[in-house]
Amino acid sequence: MSPKHLEDMYDAVIVGAGAAGLSAALGLLRSETVKEMKANGQEPKILVISKLQPLRSHTGSAEGGIAAALGNVEHDDWHWHYYDTVKGGDWLVDQDAAKLLAEYAPETVINLERQGVAFSRTADGHIAQRRFGGHTSEFGGEPVRRAAYAADRIGHQILHTLWQQCVANGIEFAEEWYVTDLVLNEEHTRVAGVVAFDTHTGKTHAVSAHNVLFGTGGAGRLFHTTSNSWDLTGDGMALALAAGLQLEDCEFVQFHPTGLAHTGILLSEASRAEGGVLRNADGEAFMEKYAPGHADLAARDVVSRSIMAEIDAGRGIADPKDPEGPKDCVWLDLTGIDPEHMEQTLPQVVETIRKYANIDPTRDYVPVKPTAHYTMGGIPVTTNGEVYRWQNGERRVVEGLYAAGECSCVSVHGANRLGGNSLLDACLFGTRSGRSIAARIAQAESSGESEAADAALEETVETARAARQSELDMLLAGNADDAADDNPYQLMAELGSTMERAAAVRCDAQSLATAIETIDNDLAPRAQALAAHDKAATFNQEITAIWEVRHLITLAQTVIAASDARHESRGSLKRTDFPDRDDEHFLAHSMTDAAHEVSWQPVHIVDMPPKKREY
Ligand SMILES: Cc1cc2nc3c(=O)[nH]c(=O)nc-3n(C[C@H](O)[C@H](O)[C@H](O)COP(=O)(O)OP(=O)(O)OC[C@H]3O[C@@H](n4cnc5c(N)ncnc54)[C@H](O)[C@@H]3O)c2cc1C
């Protein structure tokens, strides 16, 4: 669907139609302020723009669950959830934000249920909950059932429910529109709107707005091996950098230990919980050596690092689909699990292995490697979703600009996210952002925005659109042969391999320097020289792929700069040249801009002083 006509000025434009964007749209629409406006005959003008049909957003692939201490499970309480989140994030978590996350988690889950999410049920009718890594009872006690689930399809349930609610509430969508620019006013103090490319018609549009929210998701495609879908190219983060903003803690990328070789598709943690064992090239079950007592069920970052240590020591195996390739996988041995039990408890895992690797997991070992899964950092936001710059030791909010979900960093995940906390982050802080946008709309209504101010914003967005249009004309007019056989897909593959070698799971100054040289001297200039092979602007996927790979390159440079600046190991970031956590110098958020200037923002410690992270 495309809007029938575009308004000159929107009250709110939401970019992204995953859990974060849709929650924001609903939070905005259902707020008391908007209800009052409607009662007075005023209708806020809202548009949701998504480069995908909304139901294709990555939120739909979440399997395991959404975390909340609902009060049905003995020995659980939101305070333990709060503690686990801070500890899981290796104390790089803003504790005021994490407290909100844990305290309002039950309300968020109940609201989802009331809107239509069909959670699995216990025999006595409560919402069913399962165990997830790092979620414990009392300060770090026994594992506790905290992840509310809907079989192994929680994301699918949430996405469909939120989307149906949006449709029922008449929210307008611009589907398969790709946002190419975030436009701020000339002083860079408030938002002016976005430029969007309608992939159906091939036209660029100036979309002016008093408020803009980015819910554009993560950037797993930075790495060759990733559990993320193809659209997760970090567009929102790259556009924020291009608009002169910073990214917070972008050096922290979570690797899930068991991605299926060749594809990176996630093989759920449940496969090890049911008895699966990781083995090296010699057949040795190596995890007990690295995490005595926890073995294969140690925390995600610990297992991923252990796998890499085996590979680095020459005990890895080659992907059977590429026997001459690098020995960068290990085996997941599921053969000890009773075949019938495996079919019953791990249907999705079994199906994935059979379909994508052509292997029978009841008889043969499965090749796996750590897969890029989640970006902990992102566009810095307050707990009301307002985007800010960290300048002269304080947060300076960009008026009218908001972000939520995986592209944002409200800093509830710190250096390592706990399973089940990201759907919660997206839904909860998405809703909160929507409500704060509503308050801002109401304020503008009462103070009466001047038409002259609006006209100035509209002109700024139109200027950005015209610049984008001429760049698009050049992409189409350019001689693709000049760029030989270069194309964005080839570049994305090379970037993924470069990042994988340099920064997957562990890195050091040397690996980062090698990667940045390749990116700066080879990949970045080639990305700038790309031209479209097909000369039509309509339905031309290569055009958006060119923008996507440029976004990934900008982001890769920034991630490397931030990783290079942090001289310690914490959570998902393992610097082999700085193996220990260093609270004295780095208990701080990195704030990195497009010029790769890194400044440091203190972590908000409320009531939990840093401790050693042990499981
Ligand atoms: C395989 C997998 C399993 C997971 N399992 C769990 C789990 O069990 N529990 C949990 O809590 N978390 C899980 N996660 C993480 C969680 O699903 C995500 O972090 C969360 O869904 C992100 O939601 P989002 O709304 O921020 O982004 P997304 O759902 O990724 O949506 C991004 C949206 O932005 C739009 N967009 C992006 N760029 C542009 C652009 N340039 N122009 C226009 N639109 C744009 C896209 O069209 C899309 O609609 C999992 C993730 C994966 C990959």
Side-chain angles (χ1 to χ4, degrees):
M1 276 187 300
S2 289
K4 296 217 168 47
H5 80 280
L6 277 181
E7 304 286 346
D8 290 338
M9 177 61 72
Y10 281 93
D11 292 301
V13 164
I14 290 167
V15 185
L22 299 180
S23 297
L26 291 168
L28 166 55
L29 213 64
R30 290 178 175 153
S31 63
E32 288 308 316
T33 32
V34 168
K35 280 188 197 154
E36 260 172 48
M37 280 174 70
K38 286 188 158 191
N40 295 329
Q42 294 159 304
E43 190 70 36
K45 291 174 190 150
I46 306 170
L47 180 66
V48 179
I49 304 179
S50 173
K51 71 175 176 179
L52 303 174
Q53 198 284 334
L55 296 177
R56 297 197 172 275
S57 303
H58 190 69
T59 292
S61 353
E63 298 171 13
I66 174 167
L70 289 176
N72 307 329
V73 172
E74 217 185 327
H75 303 304
D76 200 15
D77 180 287
W78 72 260
H79 291 90
W80 313 147
H81 186 187
Y82 168 38
Y83 172 80
D84 289 337
T85 300
V86 172
K87 175 181 169 183
D90 217 348
W91 268 271
L92 195 73
V93 168
D94 277 348
Q95 297 182 6
D96 48 349
K99 206 171 212 170
L100 285 172
L101 183 88
E103 190 172 358
Y104 291 98
E107 183 186 292
T108 306
V109 169
I110 303 290
N111 280 342
L112 286 170
E113 195 260 355
R114 292 200 176 138
Q115 293 182 74
V117 173
F119 285 102
S120 296
R121 297 279 167 181
T122 59
D124 59 0
H126 288 104
I127 290 175
Q129 293 179 274
R130 57 164 60 112
R131 288 179 181 161
F132 247 43
H135 290 282
T136 61
S137 62
E138 309 201 9
F139 297 113
E142 291 295 304
V144 75
R145 290 184 289 111
R146 192 178 286 144
Y149 63 90
D152 55 3
R153 300 193 177 92
I154 184 63
H156 178 93
Q157 277 288 334
I158 291 178
L159 187 63
H160 280 249
T161 300
L162 295 176
W163 180 73
Q164 284 167 6
Q165 290 292 330
C166 286
V167 172
N169 279 283
I171 288 178
E172 194 166 29
F173 285 90
E175 293 178 3
E176 300 185 332
W177 282 34
Y178 184 94
V179 168
T180 53
D181 299 82
L182 164 63
V183 189
L184 305 185
N185 68 350
E186 280 179 5
E187 298 77 31
H188 282 214
T189 51
R190 76 176 274 190
V191 79
V194 297
V195 178
F197 171 70
D198 178 349
T199 62
H200 297 191
T201 62
K203 291 205 168 93
T204 53
H205 295 283
V207 190
S208 304
H210 287 148
N211 299 283
V212 170
L213 177 132
F214 270 19
T216 48
R221 288 283 150 192
L222 278 171
F223 295 88
H224 173 71
T225 307
T226 174
S227 67
N228 284 194
S229 47
W230 282 97
D231 61 297
L232 291 173
T233 50
D235 296 339
M237 302 183 210
L239 294 182
L241 285 170
L245 302 171
Q246 300 154 315
L247 295 183
E248 178 173 357
D249 291 339
C250 65
E251 63 273 37
F252 295 102
V253 179
Q254 180 172 76
F255 278 77
H256 195 290
T258 51
L260 182 62
H262 213 75
T263 66
I265 300 175
L266 198 74
L267 298 180
S268 168
E269 215 159 284
S271 55
R272 279 167 289 133
E274 295 298 336
V277 175
L278 290 164
R279 295 185 186 280
N280 62 19
D282 306 328
E284 181 198 359
F286 55 83
M287 272 313 300
E288 187 61 32
K289 187 168 74 187
Y290 294 96
H294 295 267
D296 293 89
L297 283 178
R300 281 180 189 174
D301 52 344
V302 176
V303 181
S304 291
R305 277 198 291 276
S306 310
I307 293 175
M308 284 315 228
E310 287 298 303
I311 292 168
D312 289 345
R315 292 190 289 272
I317 53 132
D319 173 358
K321 286 195 177 175
D322 182 16
E324 302 307 318
K327 296 187 173 175
D328 59 357
C329 301
V330 293
W331 296 117
L332 176 63
D333 169 11
L334 301 174
T335 59
I337 307 173
D338 174 63
E340 213 171 303
H341 181 73
M342 195 191 307
E343 299 282 357
Q344 268 171 14
T345 54
L346 303 169
Q348 177 96 35
V349 171
V350 172
E351 192 186 327
T352 302
I353 295 168
R354 287 206 174 118
K355 271 200 179 148
Y356 291 93
N358 203 17
I359 285 173
D360 178 357
T362 62
R363 286 187 324 189
D364 298 313
Y365 292 176
V366 184
V368 294
K369 66 200 282 196
T371 187
H373 188 51
Y374 187 82
T375 42
M376 265 74 72
I379 305 169
V381 290
T382 68
T383 51
N384 287 324
E386 304 149 299
V387 174
Y388 65 86
R389 277 195 193 83
W390 178 252
Q391 248 173 351
N392 302 331
E394 59 177 34
R395 293 180 167 191
R396 299 211 176 143
V397 167
V398 181
E399 280 177 67
L401 183 59
Y402 296 80
E406 196 168 335
C407 73
S408 72
C409 180
V410 64
S411 196
V412 288
H413 308 302
N416 175 59
R417 165 180 78 85
L418 287 191
N421 268 356
S422 53
L423 287 171
L424 174 60
D425 169 13
C427 293
L428 194 158
F429 288 103
T431 308
R432 284 177 71 90
S433 309
R435 288 184 191 143
S436 51
I437 294 176
R440 207 168 167 272
I441 294 174
Q443 208 183 6
E445 287 292 330
S446 61
S447 65
E449 287 269 348
S450 85
E451 283 187 14
D454 275 6
L457 294 180
E458 284 165 33
E459 203 183 308
T460 315
V461 184
E462 174 51 29
T463 307
R465 187 208 62 79
R468 181 57 65 183
Q469 182 63 50
S470 24
E471 191 246 0
L472 174 62
D473 293 343
M474 270 157 52
L475 280 186
L476 292 168
N479 189 351
D481 292 339
D482 281 347
D485 284 321
D486 239 3
N487 64 66
Y489 310 103
Q490 172 65 26
L491 277 183
M492 220 180 271
E494 288 183 36
L495 176 70
S497 307
T498 305
M499 287 297 282
E500 199 142 307
R501 275 194 301 274
V505 185
R506 51 28 182 158
C507 62
D508 60 24
Q510 184 56 47
S511 72
L512 296 171
T514 309
I516 205 69
E517 198 183 307
T518 308
I519 296 171
D520 287 355
N521 300 335
D522 179 25
L523 304 181
R526 280 167 60 197
Q528 284 314 314
L530 287 173
H533 289 75
D534 189 299
K535 299 305 170 194
T538 50
F539 294 103
N540 187 344
Q541 292 188 355
E542 194 183 10
I543 293 174
T544 44
I546 289 174
W547 288 324
E548 286 176 334
V549 77
R550 288 179 181 170
H551 289 159
L552 281 173
I553 285 175
T554 304
L555 207 53
Q557 290 164 325
T558 315
V559 168
I560 290 176
S563 308
D564 193 40
R566 189 177 282 279
H567 293 177
E568 64 159 356
S569 292
R570 184 186 294 270
S572 70
L573 183 77
K574 178 71 180 176
R575 293 264 327 222
T576 48
D577 42 357
F578 297 101
D580 299 318
R581 196 175 92 182
D582 177 359
D583 284 346
E584 196 187 327
H585 300 102
F586 293 103
L587 185 64
H589 303 295
S590 67
M591 309 294 294
T592 313
D593 65 14
H596 305 150
E597 286 288 321
V598 184
S599 50
W600 300 93
Q601 180 186 181
V603 175
H604 295 189
I605 306 284
V606 177
D607 46 14
M608 283 191 264
K611 284 204 291 194
K612 195 159 186 238
R613 178 168 165 249
E614 282 172 328
Y615 287 99

